[in-house]
C-alpha cells in the first residue's frame, strides 16, 4: 500500500514536471494551456490517488478535491483561451512547408 | 400524469421544479457529509441546515438540472461516460507528454469547429469540459451548437465533419444517455 502510494506520488510529480516543460517549450498561449491543463490534471489526480493509498481514511475529502479540480480546471483553461481568442490572438501555425492551407 | 417515465420509487412523483431543488439539496448535503470530520448527529443537523440555505440561495439556477434524464439507465450511462472519460484523459496526458518531450515538438495546431447534438447548457458545458481535458484539444468558444476547439494535432484539411467525429462524437454518445 505504502509502495503503491509512493509510486503514484512519483507519477504525479513527474506529470507536473512535464506540464512545466510543456509551458516552457510550447510556441504560443493556446499550446501552453494545452500542456498545462493536460499534464497538470493527471499530475494532480495521481498525487491525490497516491495520498489516498497512503492515508485511506481521507478518501472522502480527496474525492471531493478531485471532483473540484476536474470541474474547475477545464473551465479556467477555456476561459483564458476564449479571452485571448476574443482579443484576436491567432494560434501559432506550423511554418508552411507542407500541405497548403487556406488563408485566415 | 405521465407516470410511465418516472423511475424513482417515490410514491408520488414531485413536479419537475421541486425535483430539481431536491436534487440540488441532496447533492449539497452529500458534499457536506463527504467533507465532514465524522458523521454524527451534530454534523447531520448542521449539514441539513446548510444544504437548505444553499438550495434556497441557488434556486434561480436550479433550472440547469432540468436537462438530467432521470431514467433507470442514466446512472449506467454516467458510469460508462466516466470510464470513457478517464481512458481519454490518460491517453491525452501520455500523448501531450510525448509531444512535449519529443525534440522536434511535433504539433500541428489549428482552430476547428465541432458540432454538437446536445441542447442543454449543462450538457454542452460537460462536453466542452471533456474536450478541454482530453487528447490535445481545448474548447475556446461556444456558439449555439458549434464549439470552437484548438486542436494540437490537426490533420491538414480537416473539416467540421471529421473534427466532430474525432473530437466530440465519443463523449456525446455517452453524455446523451443521461443529459439532453
Amino acid at each position: 500500500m505504502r509502495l503503491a502510494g509512493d509510486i503514484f506520488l512519483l507519477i504525479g510529480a513527474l506529470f507536473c514536471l512535464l506540464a512545466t516543460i510543456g509551458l516552457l517549450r510550447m510556441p504560443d498561449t493556446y499550446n501552453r494551456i494545452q500542456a498545462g491543463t493536460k499534464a497538470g490534471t493527471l499530475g494532480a489526480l495521481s498525487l491525490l490517488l497516491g495520498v489516498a493509498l497512503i492515508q485511506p481514511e481521507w478518501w472522502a475529502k480527496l474525492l471531493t478535491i478531485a471532483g473540484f479540480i476536474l470541474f474547475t480546471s477545464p473551465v479556467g483553461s477555456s476561459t483564458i483561451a476564449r479571452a485571448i481568442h476574443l482579443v484576436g490572438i491567432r494560434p501559432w501555425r506550423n511554418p508552411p512547408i507542407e500541405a497548403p492551407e487556406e488563408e485566415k | 400524469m405521465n407516470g410511465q417515465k418516472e423511475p424513482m420509487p417515490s410514491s408520488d412523483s414531485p413536479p419537475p421544479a421541486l425535483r430539481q431543488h431536491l436534487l440540488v439539496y441532496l447533492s449539497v448535503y452529500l458534499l457536506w457529509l463527504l467533507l465532514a470530520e465524522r458523521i454524527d448527529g451534530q454534523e447531520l443537523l448542521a449539514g441539513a441546515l446548510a444544504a437548505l440555505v444553499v438550495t434556497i440561495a441557488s434556486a434561480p439556477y436550479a433550472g440547469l438540472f432540468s436537462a438530467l434524464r432521470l431514467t433507470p439507465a442514466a446512472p449506467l450511462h454516467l458510469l460508462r461516460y466516466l470510464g470513457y472519460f478517464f481512458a481519454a484523459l490518460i491517453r491525452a496526458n501520455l500523448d501531450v507528454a510525448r509531444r512535449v518531450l519529443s525534440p522536434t515538438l511535433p504539433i500541428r495546431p489549428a482552430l476547428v469547429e465541432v458540432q454538437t447534438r446536445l441542447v442543454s447548457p449543462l450538457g454542452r458545458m460537460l462536453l466542452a469540459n471533456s474536450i478541454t481535458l482530453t487528447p490535445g484539444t481545448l474548447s475556446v468558444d461556444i456558439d449555439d451548437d458549434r464549439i470552437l476547439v484548438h486542436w494540437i494535432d490537426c490533420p491538414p484539411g480537416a473539416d467540421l465533419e471529421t473534427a466532430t467525429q474525432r473530437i466530440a462524437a465519443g463523449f456525446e454518445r455517452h453524455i446523451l444517455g443521461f443529459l439532453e
Side-chain angles (χ1 to χ4, degrees):
Chain A
M1 213 55 162
R2 173 81 215 192
L3 179 70
D6 283 343
I7 289 174
F8 275 109
L9 287 180
L10 204 59
I11 293 175
L14 197 66
F15 270 102
C16 291
L17 176 69
L18 284 173
T20 317
I21 297 175
L23 279 180
L24 293 173
R25 291 201 67 196
M26 288 299 181
D28 74 351
T29 314
Y30 295 100
N31 289 304
R32 287 197 194 104
I33 295 173
Q34 295 263 22
T37 37
K38 303 300 176 316
T41 316
L42 194 62
L45 291 183
S46 184
L47 283 175
L48 289 174
L49 186 58
V51 175
L53 287 173
I54 292 172
Q55 295 279 354
E57 67 269 31
W58 291 356
W59 68 270
K61 290 187 180 65
L62 295 171
L63 190 69
T64 317
I65 296 172
F68 276 120
I69 289 178
L70 280 179
F71 259 104
T72 53
S73 158
V75 173
S77 304
S78 293
T79 309
I80 299 172
R82 180 164 189 270
I84 60 173
H85 174 66
L86 291 181
V87 163
I89 296 175
R90 301 236 171 271
W92 178 88
R93 309 289 296 247
N94 295 64
I97 310 166
E98 49 172 17
E101 307 202 8
E102 79 270 36
E103 293 297 313
K104 289 288 255 184
Chain B
M1 303 228 287
N2 56 342
Q4 80 276 19
K5 284 183 77 177
E6 295 299 331
M8 295 293 131
S10 56
S11 52
D12 53 330
S13 51
L18 189 61
R19 209 170 60 190
Q20 286 157 29
H21 292 309
L22 203 64
L23 197 64
V24 174
Y25 182 80
L26 290 178
S27 322
V28 175
Y29 200 179
L30 182 68
L31 186 61
W32 178 282
L33 293 182
L34 280 176
L35 289 172
E37 201 59 47
R38 63 206 172 293
I39 309 289
D40 58 14
Q42 205 176 342
E43 287 285 3
L44 287 175
L45 184 65
L49 287 176
L52 188 64
V53 172
V54 172
T55 306
I56 292 170
S58 65
Y61 307 102
L64 269 183
F65 290 99
S66 62
L68 282 177
R69 290 184 173 160
L70 296 176
T71 59
L76 194 70
H77 284 291
L78 180 63
L79 279 181
R80 289 233 311 268
Y81 163 73
L82 284 177
Y84 183 86
F85 170 77
F86 277 106
L89 182 70
I90 291 168
R91 245 186 307 124
N93 276 280
L94 294 179
D95 182 66
V96 173
R98 183 178 63 78
R99 288 174 203 280
V100 164
L101 289 178
S102 169
T104 55
L105 205 63
I107 55 175
R108 293 181 290 179
L111 285 176
V112 292
E113 275 193 325
V114 302
Q115 193 169 21
T116 175
R117 286 177 293 148
L118 297 163
V119 291
S120 65
L122 191 64
R124 285 176 180 171
M125 189 200 81
L126 199 60
L127 179 64
N129 275 358
S130 304
I131 289 174
T132 297
L133 281 170
T134 47
T137 51
L138 168 68
S139 307
V140 174
D141 204 354
I142 183 163
D143 180 24
D144 201 25
D145 66 342
R146 302 289 174 93
I147 303 179
L148 188 64
V149 174
H150 181 261
W151 196 357
I152 206 169
D153 186 31
C154 180
D159 58 0
L160 179 78
E161 196 60 39
T162 47
T164 304
Q165 277 305 316
R166 294 274 303 273
I167 296 174
F171 289 123
E172 200 175 72
R173 202 175 59 241
H174 292 287
I175 295 176
L176 273 172
F178 60 97
L179 280 173
E180 280 167 6

Coordinates of all heavy atoms in Angstrom, one line a residue, chain B residues 35-119:
Chain B
L35 N -17.2 16.1 3.3 CA -16.2 16.9 3.9 C -16.2 16.9 5.4 O -15.3 17.4 6.1 CB -16.4 18.4 3.4 CG -16.0 18.6 2.0 CD1 -16.5 20.0 1.5 CD2 -14.6 18.4 1.7
A36 N -17.3 16.4 6.0 CA -17.4 16.4 7.5 C -16.3 15.6 8.1 O -15.8 14.6 7.6 CB -18.8 15.9 7.9
E37 N -15.9 16.0 9.3 CA -14.9 15.3 10.1 C -15.3 13.9 10.4 O -14.6 12.9 10.2 CB -14.6 16.1 11.3 CG -13.2 15.8 11.9 CD -12.1 16.1 11.0 OE1 -12.1 17.2 10.3 OE2 -11.2 15.2 10.8
R38 N -16.5 13.8 11.0 CA -17.1 12.5 11.3 C -18.6 12.6 11.2 O -19.1 13.7 11.3 CB -16.7 12.0 12.6 CG -17.2 12.9 13.8 CD -16.3 12.8 15.0 NE -16.7 13.8 16.0 CZ -16.5 15.1 15.8 NH1 -16.1 15.6 14.7 NH2 -16.9 15.9 16.8
I39 N -19.3 11.5 11.0 CA -20.7 11.5 10.8 C -21.4 11.3 12.2 O -21.3 10.2 12.7 CB -21.2 10.4 9.9 CG1 -20.4 10.5 8.6 CG2 -22.7 10.6 9.6 CD1 -20.7 11.7 7.7
D40 N -21.9 12.4 12.8 CA -22.7 12.3 14.0 C -23.9 13.2 13.9 O -24.1 13.9 12.9 CB -21.8 12.5 15.2 CG -21.2 13.9 15.2 OD1 -21.7 14.8 14.4 OD2 -20.3 14.2 16.0
G41 N -24.7 13.2 15.0 CA -25.9 13.9 15.0 C -25.7 15.4 14.7 O -26.5 16.0 13.9
Q42 N -24.7 16.0 15.3 CA -24.4 17.4 15.1 C -24.1 17.7 13.6 O -24.7 18.7 13.0 CB -23.2 17.8 15.9 CG -23.2 19.2 16.4 CD -22.0 19.5 17.3 OE1 -21.5 18.5 17.9 NE2 -21.6 20.7 17.4
E43 N -23.2 16.9 13.0 CA -22.9 17.2 11.6 C -24.1 17.0 10.7 O -24.3 17.8 9.7 CB -21.8 16.2 11.2 CG -20.4 16.5 11.7 CD -19.8 17.8 11.0 OE1 -20.4 18.4 10.2 OE2 -18.6 18.1 11.4
L44 N -24.9 16.0 11.0 CA -26.1 15.7 10.1 C -27.0 16.9 10.2 O -27.6 17.3 9.1 CB -26.8 14.4 10.6 CG -26.1 13.1 10.3 CD1 -26.8 11.9 10.9 CD2 -26.0 12.9 8.8
L45 N -27.2 17.4 11.4 CA -28.2 18.5 11.5 C -27.6 19.8 10.9 O -28.3 20.5 10.1 CB -28.4 18.8 13.0 CG -29.4 19.9 13.3 CD1 -30.8 19.4 12.8 CD2 -29.5 20.2 14.8
A46 N -26.3 20.1 11.1 CA -25.7 21.3 10.5 C -25.7 21.2 9.0 O -26.0 22.2 8.3 CB -24.3 21.5 11.1
G47 N -25.4 20.0 8.5 CA -25.4 19.8 7.1 C -26.8 20.0 6.5 O -26.9 20.6 5.4
A48 N -27.8 19.5 7.1 CA -29.2 19.6 6.6 C -29.6 21.1 6.5 O -30.1 21.5 5.5 CB -30.1 18.9 7.6
L49 N -29.2 21.9 7.5 CA -29.5 23.3 7.5 C -28.7 24.0 6.4 O -29.2 24.8 5.6 CB -29.2 23.9 8.9 CG -30.2 23.5 10.0 CD1 -29.8 24.1 11.3 CD2 -31.6 24.0 9.6
A50 N -27.4 23.7 6.4 CA -26.5 24.4 5.4 C -27.0 24.1 4.0 O -27.1 25.0 3.1 CB -25.1 24.0 5.6
A51 N -27.3 22.8 3.7 CA -27.8 22.4 2.4 C -29.1 23.2 2.0 O -29.3 23.5 0.9 CB -28.0 20.9 2.3
L52 N -29.9 23.4 3.0 CA -31.2 24.1 2.8 C -30.9 25.5 2.4 O -31.5 26.0 1.4 CB -32.0 24.0 4.1 CG -33.5 24.6 3.9 CD1 -34.3 23.7 2.9 CD2 -34.2 24.7 5.2
V53 N -30.0 26.2 3.1 CA -29.7 27.6 2.8 C -29.1 27.6 1.4 O -29.5 28.5 0.6 CB -28.6 28.1 3.8 CG1 -28.1 29.5 3.3 CG2 -29.3 28.2 5.2
V54 N -28.2 26.7 1.0 CA -27.6 26.8 -0.3 C -28.6 26.5 -1.4 O -28.7 27.2 -2.4 CB -26.4 25.7 -0.4 CG1 -26.0 25.6 -1.9 CG2 -25.3 26.1 0.5
T55 N -29.5 25.6 -1.1 CA -30.6 25.3 -2.1 C -31.4 26.5 -2.4 O -31.8 26.8 -3.5 CB -31.4 24.1 -1.6 OG1 -30.6 23.0 -1.3 CG2 -32.4 23.7 -2.7
I56 N -31.8 27.2 -1.3 CA -32.6 28.4 -1.5 C -31.9 29.5 -2.2 O -32.4 30.1 -3.1 CB -33.1 28.9 -0.1 CG1 -34.1 27.9 0.5 CG2 -33.8 30.2 -0.2 CD1 -34.5 28.1 2.0
A57 N -30.6 29.7 -1.8 CA -29.8 30.7 -2.4 C -29.6 30.5 -3.9 O -29.5 31.4 -4.7 CB -28.5 30.8 -1.7
S58 N -29.5 29.2 -4.3 CA -29.2 28.9 -5.7 C -30.4 28.5 -6.5 O -30.3 28.0 -7.6 CB -28.2 27.7 -5.8 OG -28.7 26.5 -5.2
A59 N -31.6 28.7 -5.9 CA -32.8 28.3 -6.5 C -33.0 28.8 -8.0 O -33.4 28.1 -8.8 CB -34.0 28.7 -5.7
P60 N -32.6 30.1 -8.2 CA -32.8 30.6 -9.6 C -32.0 29.9 -10.6 O -32.3 29.9 -11.8 CB -32.3 32.1 -9.5 CG -32.3 32.4 -8.1 CD -32.1 31.2 -7.3
Y61 N -31.0 29.1 -10.2 CA -30.1 28.4 -11.2 C -30.5 26.9 -11.3 O -29.8 26.2 -12.0 CB -28.6 28.6 -10.9 CG -28.2 30.0 -10.7 CD1 -28.1 30.6 -9.5 CD2 -28.1 30.8 -11.8 CE1 -27.7 31.9 -9.3 CE2 -27.7 32.1 -11.7 CZ -27.5 32.7 -10.4 OH -27.2 34.0 -10.3
A62 N -31.4 26.5 -10.5 CA -31.7 25.1 -10.4 C -32.2 24.5 -11.8 O -32.1 23.3 -12.0 CB -32.7 24.8 -9.3
G63 N -32.6 25.4 -12.6 CA -33.1 25.0 -14.0 C -32.1 24.3 -14.8 O -32.4 23.5 -15.7
L64 N -30.8 24.5 -14.5 CA -29.7 23.8 -15.1 C -29.9 22.3 -15.1 O -29.6 21.6 -16.1 CB -28.4 24.2 -14.5 CG -27.6 25.3 -15.0 CD1 -26.3 25.4 -14.2 CD2 -27.3 25.2 -16.4
F65 N -30.5 21.8 -14.0 CA -30.5 20.4 -13.8 C -31.8 19.8 -14.5 O -31.9 18.6 -14.4 CB -30.6 20.1 -12.3 CG -29.2 20.3 -11.6 CD1 -29.0 21.4 -10.9 CD2 -28.2 19.4 -11.8 CE1 -27.8 21.7 -10.3 CE2 -27.0 19.6 -11.2 CZ -26.8 20.8 -10.5
S66 N -32.6 20.6 -15.1 CA -33.8 20.1 -15.8 C -33.4 19.2 -16.9 O -34.2 18.4 -17.4 CB -34.6 21.2 -16.3 OG -33.9 22.0 -17.2
A67 N -32.1 19.3 -17.4 CA -31.7 18.5 -18.5 C -31.4 17.1 -18.1 O -31.3 16.2 -19.0 CB -30.4 19.2 -19.2
L68 N -31.2 16.8 -16.9 CA -30.9 15.5 -16.4 C -32.0 14.5 -16.8 O -33.2 14.8 -16.6 CB -30.7 15.4 -14.9 CG -29.4 15.9 -14.4 CD1 -29.4 15.9 -12.9 CD2 -28.2 15.1 -14.9
R69 N -31.6 13.4 -17.4 CA -32.6 12.4 -17.7 C -32.6 11.4 -16.5 O -31.7 10.6 -16.4 CB -32.3 11.7 -19.0 CG -32.5 12.5 -20.2 CD -32.2 11.7 -21.4 NE -32.5 12.5 -22.6 CZ -32.1 12.3 -23.8 NH1 -31.3 11.3 -24.0 NH2 -32.4 13.1 -24.8
L70 N -33.7 11.4 -15.7 CA -33.7 10.5 -14.6 C -34.4 9.2 -15.0 O -35.4 8.9 -14.5 CB -34.5 11.2 -13.4 CG -33.8 12.5 -12.9 CD1 -34.6 13.1 -11.8 CD2 -32.4 12.1 -12.3
T71 N -33.7 8.5 -15.9 CA -34.2 7.2 -16.2 C -33.4 6.1 -15.5 O -32.3 6.4 -15.0 CB -34.1 7.0 -17.8 OG1 -32.7 7.1 -18.1 CG2 -34.9 8.0 -18.5
P72 N -33.9 4.9 -15.5 CA -33.2 3.9 -14.8 C -31.8 3.6 -15.4 O -30.9 3.2 -14.7 CB -34.1 2.6 -14.9 CG -35.4 3.1 -15.2 CD -35.2 4.4 -15.9
A73 N -31.7 3.9 -16.7 CA -30.4 3.6 -17.4 C -29.4 4.7 -17.2 O -28.2 4.6 -17.5 CB -30.6 3.3 -18.9
A74 N -29.9 5.9 -16.7 CA -29.0 7.0 -16.6 C -27.7 6.8 -15.8 O -26.6 7.2 -16.3 CB -29.8 8.2 -16.1
P75 N -27.8 6.2 -14.6 CA -26.6 6.0 -13.8 C -25.6 5.1 -14.6 O -24.4 5.4 -14.5 CB -27.0 5.3 -12.5 CG -28.5 5.7 -12.4 CD -29.0 5.8 -13.8
L76 N -26.1 4.2 -15.3 CA -25.2 3.3 -16.1 C -24.5 4.1 -17.2 O -23.3 3.9 -17.3 CB -26.1 2.2 -16.8 CG -25.4 1.0 -17.3 CD1 -24.8 0.2 -16.2 CD2 -26.3 0.2 -18.2
H77 N -25.2 5.0 -17.9 CA -24.6 5.8 -18.9 C -23.6 6.7 -18.2 O -22.5 7.0 -18.8 CB -25.7 6.6 -19.6 CG -26.5 5.9 -20.6 ND1 -25.9 5.4 -21.7 CD2 -27.7 5.4 -20.6 CE1 -26.8 4.7 -22.4 NE2 -28.0 4.7 -21.7
L78 N -23.9 7.2 -17.0 CA -23.0 8.1 -16.4 C -21.6 7.4 -16.1 O -20.6 7.9 -16.3 CB -23.6 8.6 -15.1 CG -22.7 9.6 -14.2 CD1 -22.4 10.8 -15.0 CD2 -23.4 9.9 -12.9
L79 N -21.8 6.1 -15.6 CA -20.6 5.3 -15.3 C -19.8 5.1 -16.6 O -18.6 5.2 -16.6 CB -21.0 4.0 -14.7 CG -21.3 4.0 -13.2 CD1 -21.7 2.7 -12.6 CD2 -20.1 4.6 -12.4
R80 N -20.5 4.7 -17.6 CA -19.8 4.4 -18.9 C -19.1 5.7 -19.4 O -18.0 5.6 -19.9 CB -20.8 4.0 -20.0 CG -21.4 2.6 -19.7 CD -21.2 1.7 -20.9 NE -21.7 2.3 -22.1 CZ -22.9 2.1 -22.6 NH1 -23.8 1.4 -22.0 NH2 -23.2 2.7 -23.8
Y81 N -19.8 6.8 -19.2 CA -19.1 8.1 -19.6 C -17.9 8.4 -18.8 O -16.8 8.7 -19.3 CB -20.1 9.3 -19.4 CG -19.5 10.6 -19.4 CD1 -19.0 11.2 -20.5 CD2 -19.3 11.3 -18.2 CE1 -18.3 12.4 -20.5 CE2 -18.7 12.5 -18.2 CZ -18.2 13.1 -19.3 OH -17.5 14.3 -19.3
L82 N -17.9 8.1 -17.5 CA -16.8 8.3 -16.6 C -15.6 7.4 -17.0 O -14.5 7.9 -17.1 CB -17.1 8.1 -15.1 CG -18.0 9.2 -14.5 CD1 -18.3 8.9 -13.1 CD2 -17.2 10.5 -14.5
G83 N -16.0 6.2 -17.3 CA -14.9 5.2 -17.8 C -14.3 5.7 -19.0 O -13.0 5.8 -19.2
Y84 N -15.1 6.1 -20.0 CA -14.6 6.6 -21.3 C -13.8 7.8 -21.1 O -12.7 8.0 -21.7 CB -15.8 6.9 -22.2 CG -15.4 7.4 -23.6 CD1 -15.2 6.4 -24.6 CD2 -15.3 8.7 -23.9 CE1 -14.9 6.8 -25.9 CE2 -15.0 9.1 -25.1 CZ -14.8 8.2 -26.1 OH -14.4 8.6 -27.4
F85 N -14.3 8.7 -20.2 CA -13.6 10.0 -19.9 C -12.2 9.7 -19.4 O -11.2 10.3 -19.8 CB -14.4 10.8 -19.0 CG -13.7 12.0 -18.5 CD1 -13.6 13.1 -19.3 CD2 -13.2 12.1 -17.2 CE1 -12.9 14.3 -18.9 CE2 -12.6 13.2 -16.8 CZ -12.4 14.3 -17.6
F86 N -12.1 8.8 -18.4 CA -10.8 8.7 -17.7 C -9.8 8.0 -18.7 O -8.6 8.3 -18.7 CB -10.9 7.9 -16.4 CG -11.3 8.8 -15.3 CD1 -12.6 8.8 -14.7 CD2 -10.4 9.7 -14.8 CE1 -12.9 9.6 -13.7 CE2 -10.7 10.5 -13.7 CZ -12.0 10.5 -13.2
A87 N -10.3 7.0 -19.5 CA -9.4 6.4 -20.5 C -8.9 7.5 -21.4 O -7.7 7.6 -21.7 CB -10.2 5.4 -21.3
A88 N -9.8 8.4 -21.9 CA -9.4 9.5 -22.8 C -8.4 10.5 -22.1 O -7.5 10.9 -22.7 CB -10.6 10.3 -23.3
L89 N -8.7 10.7 -20.8 CA -7.8 11.6 -20.0 C -6.4 11.1 -20.0 O -5.4 11.8 -20.2 CB -8.4 11.8 -18.6 CG -7.6 12.7 -17.7 CD1 -7.8 14.1 -18.1 CD2 -8.1 12.6 -16.2
I90 N -6.2 9.8 -19.7 CA -4.9 9.2 -19.6 C -4.2 9.2 -21.0 O -3.1 9.5 -21.1 CB -5.0 7.8 -19.0 CG1 -5.4 7.9 -17.5 CG2 -3.7 7.0 -19.1 CD1 -5.8 6.6 -16.9
R91 N -5.0 8.8 -22.0 CA -4.4 8.9 -23.4 C -4.0 10.3 -23.7 O -2.9 10.5 -24.2 CB -5.5 8.4 -24.4 CG -5.1 7.1 -25.1 CD -6.1 6.8 -26.2 NE -7.5 6.8 -25.7 CZ -8.5 7.5 -26.3 NH1 -8.2 8.3 -27.3 NH2 -9.7 7.4 -25.8
A92 N -4.8 11.3 -23.3 CA -4.4 12.7 -23.6 C -3.1 13.1 -23.0 O -2.3 13.7 -23.6 CB -5.5 13.6 -23.1
N93 N -3.0 12.7 -21.7 CA -1.8 13.0 -21.0 C -0.5 12.4 -21.6 O 0.5 13.1 -21.7 CB -1.9 12.6 -19.5 CG -2.7 13.7 -18.7 OD1 -2.1 14.7 -18.4 ND2 -4.0 13.5 -18.6
L94 N -0.6 11.1 -21.9 CA 0.5 10.4 -22.5 C 0.9 11.1 -23.8 O 2.0 11.3 -24.1 CB 0.2 8.9 -22.6 CG 0.1 8.2 -21.3 CD1 -0.2 6.7 -21.5 CD2 1.3 8.3 -20.5
D95 N -0.2 11.4 -24.6 CA 0.0 12.0 -25.9 C 0.7 13.3 -25.8 O 1.7 13.6 -26.5 CB -1.3 12.1 -26.6 CG -1.2 12.7 -28.0 OD1 -0.6 12.0 -28.9 OD2 -1.6 13.8 -28.2
V96 N 0.2 14.2 -24.9 CA 0.8 15.5 -24.8 C 2.2 15.4 -24.2 O 3.1 16.1 -24.6 CB -0.1 16.4 -23.9 CG1 0.6 17.8 -23.6 CG2 -1.4 16.7 -24.6
A97 N 2.4 14.5 -23.3 CA 3.7 14.3 -22.7 C 4.7 13.9 -23.8 O 5.8 14.4 -23.8 CB 3.6 13.2 -21.6
R98 N 4.3 13.0 -24.7 CA 5.2 12.6 -25.7 C 5.6 13.8 -26.6 O 6.7 14.0 -27.0 CB 4.5 11.5 -26.6 CG 5.3 11.0 -27.7 CD 4.5 9.9 -28.5 NE 3.3 10.4 -29.1 CZ 3.3 11.1 -30.2 NH1 4.4 11.3 -30.9 NH2 2.2 11.5 -30.8
R99 N 4.6 14.6 -26.9 CA 4.9 15.8 -27.8 C 5.8 16.8 -27.1 O 6.7 17.4 -27.7 CB 3.6 16.5 -28.1 CG 2.7 15.8 -29.1 CD 1.4 16.4 -29.4 NE 0.5 15.4 -29.8 CZ 0.4 15.0 -31.1 NH1 1.2 15.5 -32.0 NH2 -0.4 14.1 -31.5
V100 N 5.6 16.9 -25.8 CA 6.4 17.9 -25.0 C 7.8 17.4 -25.0 O 8.8 18.2 -25.1 CB 5.8 18.1 -23.6 CG1 6.9 18.7 -22.7 CG2 4.6 18.9 -23.6
L101 N 8.0 16.1 -24.8 CA 9.4 15.6 -24.7 C 10.1 15.4 -26.0 O 11.4 15.4 -26.0 CB 9.4 14.3 -23.9 CG 9.0 14.4 -22.4 CD1 9.0 13.1 -21.7 CD2 10.0 15.3 -21.7
S102 N 9.4 15.3 -27.1 CA 10.0 15.0 -28.3 C 10.8 16.2 -28.8 O 10.3 17.3 -28.8 CB 8.9 14.7 -29.4 OG 9.5 14.7 -30.6
P103 N 12.1 16.0 -29.2 CA 12.9 17.1 -29.6 C 12.4 18.0 -30.7 O 12.6 19.2 -30.7 CB 14.2 16.4 -30.0 CG 14.1 15.0 -29.5 CD 12.7 14.7 -29.4
T104 N 11.6 17.4 -31.6 CA 11.2 18.2 -32.7 C 9.8 18.9 -32.4 O 9.3 19.7 -33.3 CB 11.0 17.3 -34.0 OG1 10.1 16.3 -33.6 CG2 12.3 16.8 -34.5
L105 N 9.3 18.7 -31.3 CA 8.0 19.3 -30.9 C 6.9 19.1 -32.0 O 6.5 20.1 -32.6 CB 8.2 20.8 -30.6 CG 7.2 21.5 -29.7 CD1 7.3 20.9 -28.3 CD2 7.4 23.0 -29.6
P106 N 6.5 17.9 -32.2 CA 5.6 17.6 -33.3 C 4.1 18.0 -33.0 O 3.3 17.2 -32.6 CB 5.7 16.0 -33.4 CG 5.9 15.6 -32.0 CD 6.7 16.7 -31.3
I107 N 3.9 19.3 -33.3 CA 2.5 19.7 -33.2 C 2.0 20.4 -34.5 O 2.8 21.0 -35.2 CB 2.3 20.8 -32.0 CG1 3.3 21.9 -32.1 CG2 2.5 20.1 -30.7 CD1 3.1 23.0 -31.1
R108 N 0.7 20.2 -34.7 CA 0.2 20.9 -35.9 C -1.1 21.6 -35.5 O -2.2 21.2 -35.8 CB -0.2 19.8 -37.0 CG 0.9 19.1 -37.6 CD 0.5 18.1 -38.6 NE -0.2 17.0 -38.0 CZ -0.7 15.9 -38.6 NH1 -0.7 15.9 -40.0 NH2 -1.3 14.9 -38.0
P109 N -1.0 22.7 -34.7 CA -2.1 23.3 -34.1 C -3.0 24.1 -35.1 O -2.5 24.6 -36.0 CB -1.5 24.3 -33.1 CG -0.2 24.6 -33.5 CD 0.3 23.4 -34.4
A110 N -4.3 24.0 -34.8 CA -5.3 24.8 -35.6 C -6.6 25.0 -34.9 O -6.8 24.2 -33.9 CB -5.5 24.1 -37.0
L111 N -7.3 25.9 -35.2 CA -8.7 26.1 -34.6 C -9.7 25.4 -35.6 O -9.7 25.6 -36.8 CB -9.0 27.6 -34.5 CG -8.4 28.3 -33.4 CD1 -8.8 29.8 -33.4 CD2 -8.7 27.8 -32.0
V112 N -10.5 24.5 -35.0 CA -11.5 23.9 -35.8 C -12.8 24.0 -35.1 O -12.9 24.3 -33.9 CB -11.2 22.3 -36.0 CG1 -10.0 22.2 -36.9 CG2 -11.0 21.6 -34.7
E113 N -13.9 23.8 -35.8 CA -15.2 23.8 -35.2 C -15.8 22.4 -35.1 O -15.6 21.6 -36.0 CB -16.2 24.7 -36.0 CG -16.1 26.2 -35.7 CD -17.3 26.9 -36.3 OE1 -17.7 26.5 -37.4 OE2 -17.8 27.8 -35.7
V114 N -16.5 22.1 -34.0 CA -17.2 20.9 -33.9 C -18.7 21.2 -33.7 O -19.0 22.2 -33.1 CB -16.6 19.9 -32.9 CG1 -15.2 19.6 -33.1 CG2 -16.8 20.5 -31.5
Q115 N -19.5 20.3 -34.1 CA -20.9 20.4 -33.9 C -21.4 19.5 -32.8 O -20.9 18.3 -32.8 CB -21.6 20.2 -35.2 CG -23.1 20.7 -35.2 CD -23.6 20.6 -36.6 OE1 -23.1 19.9 -37.5 NE2 -24.7 21.4 -36.9
T116 N -22.4 19.9 -32.0 CA -22.9 19.0 -31.0 C -24.4 18.8 -31.2 O -25.1 19.7 -31.6 CB -22.6 19.5 -29.6 OG1 -23.2 18.7 -28.7 CG2 -23.1 20.9 -29.4
R117 N -24.9 17.7 -30.8 CA -26.3 17.4 -30.8 C -27.0 17.7 -29.4 O -28.2 17.6 -29.2 CB -26.6 16.0 -31.2 CG -26.4 15.7 -32.6 CD -26.7 14.2 -32.9 NE -25.6 13.4 -32.3 CZ -25.8 12.2 -31.9 NH1 -27.0 11.6 -32.0 NH2 -24.8 11.5 -31.3
L118 N -26.1 18.0 -28.4 CA -26.6 18.3 -27.1 C -27.3 19.7 -27.1 O -26.7 20.6 -27.7 CB -25.5 18.3 -26.1 CG -24.8 17.0 -25.9 CD1 -23.4 17.1 -25.2 CD2 -25.6 16.0 -25.1
V119 N -28.4 19.8 -26.5 CA -29.1 21.1 -26.5 C -29.1 21.8 -25.2 O -29.2 23.0 -25.1 CB -30.6 20.9 -26.9 CG1 -30.7 20.5 -28.4 CG2 -31.3 19.9 -26.1

